[in-house]
Amino acid sequence: MMEERHPYSATLLIYCEDRSGIISSVTDFINEHDGNIIYLDQYVDAEENTFYMRIEWELEKFIISPDKIDLIFKESLAKKFQMSYRLYFSDEKIRMALFVSKLPHCLYDILSRCQSGEWDVEIPLIISNHEYLKPVAEKFGIDFYYFPITPENKREQEEKEIELLRSLNIDFIVLARYMQIITDDFIKSFPERIINIHHSFLPAFPGAKPYHSAHKRGVKIIGATSHYVTADLDEGPIIEQDIARVTHNDSVKDLIRKGRDLEKIVLSRAIHNHFKRKTLVDKNRTIVFN
Amino acid sequence: MMEERHPYSATLLIYCEDRSGIISSVTDFINEHDGNIIYLDQYVDAEENTFYMRIEWELEKFIISPDKIDLIFKESLAKKFQMSYRLYFSDEKIRMALFVSKLPHCLYDILSRCQSGEWDVEIPLIISNHEYLKPVAEKFGIDFYYFPITPENKREQEEKEIELLRSLNIDFIVLARYMQIITDDFIKSFPERIINIHHSFLPAFPGAKPYHSAHKRGVKIIGATSHYVTADLDEGPIIEQDIARVTHNDSVKDLIRKGRDLEKIVLSRAIHNHFKRKTLVDKNRTIVFN
Amino acid sequence: MMEERHPYSATLLIYCEDRSGIISSVTDFINEHDGNIIYLDQYVDAEENTFYMRIEWELEKFIISPDKIDLIFKESLAKKFQMSYRLYFSDEKIRMALFVSKLPHCLYDILSRCQSGEWDVEIPLIISNHEYLKPVAEKFGIDFYYFPITPENKREQEEKEIELLRSLNIDFIVLARYMQIITDDFIKSFPERIINIHHSFLPAFPGAKPYHSAHKRGVKIIGATSHYVTADLDEGPIIEQDIARVTHNDSVKDLIRKGRDLEKIVLSRAIHNHFKRKTLVDKNRTIVFN
Amino acid sequence: MMEERHPYSATLLIYCEDRSGIISSVTDFINEHDGNIIYLDQYVDAEENTFYMRIEWELEKFIISPDKIDLIFKESLAKKFQMSYRLYFSDEKIRMALFVSKLPHCLYDILSRCQSGEWDVEIPLIISNHEYLKPVAEKFGIDFYYFPITPENKREQEEKEIELLRSLNIDFIVLARYMQIITDDFIKSFPERIINIHHSFLPAFPGAKPYHSAHKRGVKIIGATSHYVTADLDEGPIIEQDIARVTHNDSVKDLIRKGRDLEKIVLSRAIHNHFKRKTLVDKNRTIVFN
C-alpha cells in the first residue's frame, strides 16, 4: 500500500577476479535477450583486484524464462569469468526472523514497517530468551517463541532454533537488541545472513554498556552500527552507521534515549539494504550498492 | 519500564522583560524554601530585551506545599518582575491527542514510544478524516474518532472535535501527517499546543508535495520540520529540524522513503521537547532549553 | 606533494537518449583497444529517458593515441548513439579564475588548497570589484585585477573581464562570495562553467542577507549551497549543500560565523567535483558521479 | 574587520562542590555592583556533585575596577564556596603557539582565520620538527623555529621550546598535525593548555595511520577529534568531534582527502571554544559552555 509495485525484474549480484570485458559481457547478455537494464552499479577493489557488480533488469520482454536464467547465465558467463553470483527475482517474498530480548524500540520499528506495508517482508516468527516482549508480538499477530538460554542449554537451544528457522524457510535473521552472544555454529548456519545492531560507533566501545563508556570518555558524538554477524563479536562487516551529537549536559540516560532512535533507524536502513539485495561482503567490508 | 522514575519536582517556565536580579531572585526563592535546583537554563533575547528561563527543583524538602507554590511565587516574584510563567509538576500525566489521515509511519512511531513506556504520555484518542488507520488505533487499544471533513462541514466538525478534546482534558495535539488545513478558530482554541510535522526543510518547499518540488529543484539534502501551528500555514515557530543527504540517483519515491524516517524522528523529538516542558515561544521562534 | 600522481588516463562524460547497448558498446570500445577501465558510473533519468555516464581508463596500453581518441570515438560510437560527450585527459592542467569582493574566507581556503598542492589547479588571476583583498592575492603571488562595477559601466567592465579570461585560457570561474550580480551575457560566455556559493540552504532564503532571514524565521539548521550560475539568480543547478545546527542562542553574528565554515567547505567540495570532471548538468539538476 | 567589537566585559569560569545558593550569590555579586550579565551557563555534574559555571558581564558601569575584581571576588565569594575559578577580560589579547610537522591544511586554516581578522588571536611563533612548512610561515609573516627532534635530544629540545614559549608569554599551544609525541614534562608545563587534533573518531583508531585502519575495518563514517593533551596519548579530554560519511568506494586516499577538511574544521572549532573561554575540564571530560 505504501510502496508502489515495481516491475517484475531479476537482480544479479556478482563478484570475481577483475579483468577486461566483464561489464560489457554481462550487459551484452541482458541486451541480447531483450532485457531492459534498470540498475547497474559496479565496484573494483583495486588492491584485491576483485570486481563487484549489481545489475537489475526487467523481465517483461526477456526471452529467457526466469527458471532458466540461472543455468544459462552460469554456462554462458559465470564459468568463463569464474564468477560467484546470486540471482534474485523481484516477486520472491523475503522471510525475516527477529531475535529480541527486553528492549522493544527496534522491534516496534521493524514490525511497524512491515505491517504498514512500507516493507514487503514476511516475519514468520520472533524468537526471544525472555518472555518480556511476547505481548508486542501478539499485538502484531506474529508467532513468538521463547527459548530461555543458560550456559548449559545454549547449544541445545540453538540447535532447536536452527531447526525451527529452517523449517520456516527463513532467509535472514535480525538481532534486534538480542542480548545474547550466539555461537559460531549458529553463525555458520546462516553465513552473511545475520544482522546485528550494536549501540556504539564501532570500533569504538565494543562489548557491553557502550553508552556508559561513551559518557565516561566524554565523547561529543555517539553512534550506532549495524553489521553482519561473524565469529568475532562486534567485528563483523559494517553495513550502516550513524551518529548523534551529545554534550557534557547529557547523562548516561540521555545517551541511551538519543541512542535508541539511532539504533532503530540504523538497523532498519541495514535491513532495507539487505532485503533489497544491495549488499555484498568483501572480506570484512560490506559493499553497499547505491 | 524503560524510563526510570524521576524525583518529584516542579518546573517553572518564565519570561519577562529583562532586568537585573531576576536569576538571583528566582534561585533565592527556591533556595530559601529548601528546594534543590536540578536544572537551570536561561536565555536573553538582547534585541527584544526579553528574559526566558526554565528552572526545575526537587520538592522533597521544599517547605511550600505544591498547591501553594503558584500563589506564593506569583505574589512574591512574578508580580514584581511582571513575569509570564507556567508551573508544572513532574507527577502530572500529560494527555496528547493525535490527528492522522492515511500515512501511518509517524503514528506507529508515537504509539510505540507510549506503549513501550519510553514516553510517559497518555493518548486518550486518535482523530482522523479517514477510516484508514482505524486498525492501527485498535491494535494499540486507543479510541479512534472518524470526522470526515468537507468544505461544507469543516467548521461544524471542528467544533465537535474541540468539544471532544476538551471533554477529555487534552493538553496538546499532534498532527501526525494530518492532511487537512485546520481553521484559525481551531488553532486559537489550542494556542502553542498544536504540533505539526512538515515534510520539508522549511522555509524551503512549503505547501503540498515538497518531495516532488525538492526532486525537481535537484537539492542534495532533504529535510523535515516540526513546528507549532499558527494561522499562517507552514509559518509557525520551528521546534526541530533534521536533514538527510540525497543524490541525483534518488527518485521522488526514494525521497519519500528517506523522508519518512526523518519525519517520524523529527516529530518525536519535538513532541518530547514539548511534553518535557522544554519549549517557550518567542514571537515566531521556539526557545528549546537544552 | 600532497596528492599522489595518478596514472595517465582519459575520462569521458557522456549523455544521450537511453537505449539498449550503450554501456556494453562503450566498455567494448575501451576493452578492444586495450584500455583498462578504472572508473565507471552511470545514471539513467527514467522520466526523461536520458542516459548519463562517466568512464575513465588508463592510457598506458591503449592502442589509440590520445590525439585520435576524440575523432575515433565520435565516428565509431557517438554518432551511432547521438551522444553529447566531453573528453578529458589527466595531464591537462585546469585553470580557474576567482571572483571576490570583501569576504576572504572562501578565497583563503581555495588558495591554501592550491598552494599546498592539495589541488592540482592553476589560478592565473583573481578579479574583484574592490581592492580590499588585493593583499591576500599578493601574499599568495597571484595576479589581482580590480574591476570596479557601477550600474553604468557593468556591461563594459564585464566585456573586459571576458576578454581577459579568454586571453588566459580560463577553464572555469568561481564566485567566492562575489557580491555582484553578473549579467546573462557574461554567463552565456561560460555556460556551466561558473560556480557560485550561496550562504543559505537553497531554495530557502535566496537573495541578500540569508542569515538575517534565517535568524528571523527561527530555523534550527542553517546551510550553504554551491551551484552553477544560470540566468536565474540562486536558481542554478545545485552541486553541493551542507548544513550546521543552530539554536535560539545563536545570534545573527553566530550564524554568520558558523556559516563561514559551511560556505568554504561546500564551495571547495563543489570545485573539487567540477575539476575532477565528476559533474554533468541535467536540465536544472547536477549529476555528481561518485 | 570581520568580527565586530564586543563590549568590554569580564568572564568568570568557576567550579566547586555543588551546594545551594551559588548561582544567586554570584549573580547578586554582579548585580549589586552594577554589572550587566550578558551570558550565564552552568552545569552540575550530579554524580560528582560538582558545580560548573561560566558568567560574563559588561564592565562599563561595574563599580569595582577591573584590577580589583579578582581580589574582591576571592574574598567575598570564592573562599566561602571554596571555588576554583579563572577571571578573564575581553581586552586581553590571547597568544597562541603552533606546532606543525609536514601537513599544511590545519596550519593554513588557522593562519587564514587570524590574518583575515576572523579570530582576534596573536600567533607569535610556529615551531616545527621539520623545515618543510617554513615557507608558509614566511608567507604569513610569522616567526618559524626549527627544532629537529631525535630520541637523544628530545628532552633538551623541549626545554628550549618551553623557555621560548614562556619568554613569548604564550597562553596556549596548538598541535596542528604535529607528528611527534611530546613528553609528560612538556605537558605539565602547559596543563589544559595544549590542544591536539587526532584524525579519527576517538576512541576508535587511536595511534598512527587511523585512515588506513578505518579503511581496513570498513567503517561507513570517519571522524576527527580535538582534545586537550594529557600524559595518556589520544586519551585527553575531548573538546570537539565531527564526522563525514564514506562508502566502500572510498580508497584510503579518499579518506585522507575527506579527513583533511574534518581535521581543520574540528581543530578550529576547538581553538575557538578555548580562546573564547568556553571550556572547563572536568576529570577527563570537557565542559563546553554553549
Side-chain angles (χ1 to χ4, degrees), chain D residues 26 45 49 56 62 69 77 104 113 123-124 135 143 170 188 237:
Chain D
V26 175
D45 183 333
N49 198 40
E56 185 176 357
F62 200 57
I69 295 174
L77 274 178
R113 289 172 198 265
I123 307 177
D143 290 345
I170 293 303
K188 277 175 195 149

Side-chain angles (χ1 to χ4, degrees), chain D residues 192-260:
Chain D
E192 291 169 24
R193 293 194 287 146
I194 309 174
I195 296 175
N196 185 42
I197 179 72
H198 183 76
H199 42 315
S200 86
F201 187 84
L202 289 174
F205 311 123
K209 293 199 171 287
Y211 293 124
H212 290 76
S213 305
H215 186 259
K216 199 176 166 199
R217 180 62 186 88
V219 293
K220 299 302 184 191
I221 286 175
I222 57 167
T225 304
S226 188
H227 62 93
Y228 287 112
V229 176
T230 57
D232 296 314
L233 187 66
D234 300 332
E235 293 285 333
I238 294 169
I239 309 169
E240 173 68 359
Q241 300 187 291
D242 210 346
I243 59 98
R245 291 206 160 264
V246 297
T247 76
H248 61 273
N249 253 316
D250 288 303
S251 64
V252 171
K253 253 170 59 184
D254 292 322
L255 301 194
I256 291 170
R257 174 175 56 80
K258 292 184 174 184
R260 270 198 295 261

Side-chain angles (χ1 to χ4, degrees), chain C residues 146-160:
Chain C
Y146 171 45
F147 285 91
I149 307 280
T150 63
E152 292 71 33
N153 76 357
K154 187 170 215 167
R155 194 173 185 134
E156 191 186 345
Q157 292 288 66
E158 284 196 352
E159 274 166 22
K160 286 184 195 160

Side-chain angles (χ1 to χ4, degrees), chain C residues 109 113 115 139 261 264, chain D residues 109 115 139 261 264:
Chain C
D109 196 57
R113 290 173 198 266
Q115 293 224 345
K139 188 192 303 290
D261 283 6
K264 75 184 189 190
Chain D
D109 196 58
Q115 293 224 345
K139 188 192 301 291
D261 283 6
K264 76 184 189 189

Side-chain angles (χ1 to χ4, degrees), chain B residues 189-219:
Chain B
S189 302
F190 301 95
E192 291 168 22
R193 292 195 287 146
I194 309 174
I195 296 174
N196 185 43
I197 179 73
H198 183 76
H199 42 312
S200 86
F201 187 84
L202 288 174
F205 311 123
K209 294 201 171 286
Y211 293 124
H212 291 76
S213 306
H215 187 259
K216 200 176 165 199
R217 180 63 187 90
V219 294

Side-chain angles (χ1 to χ4, degrees), chain D residues 15 36 55 62 71 88 127 155 177 181 191 197 241 277:
Chain D
Y15 60 100
N36 181 32
I55 190 161
F62 200 57
L71 184 67
Y88 300 106
I127 284 176
R155 190 170 191 139
R177 300 297 315 268
I181 293 169
I197 179 72
Q241 300 187 291
R277 319 300 193 182

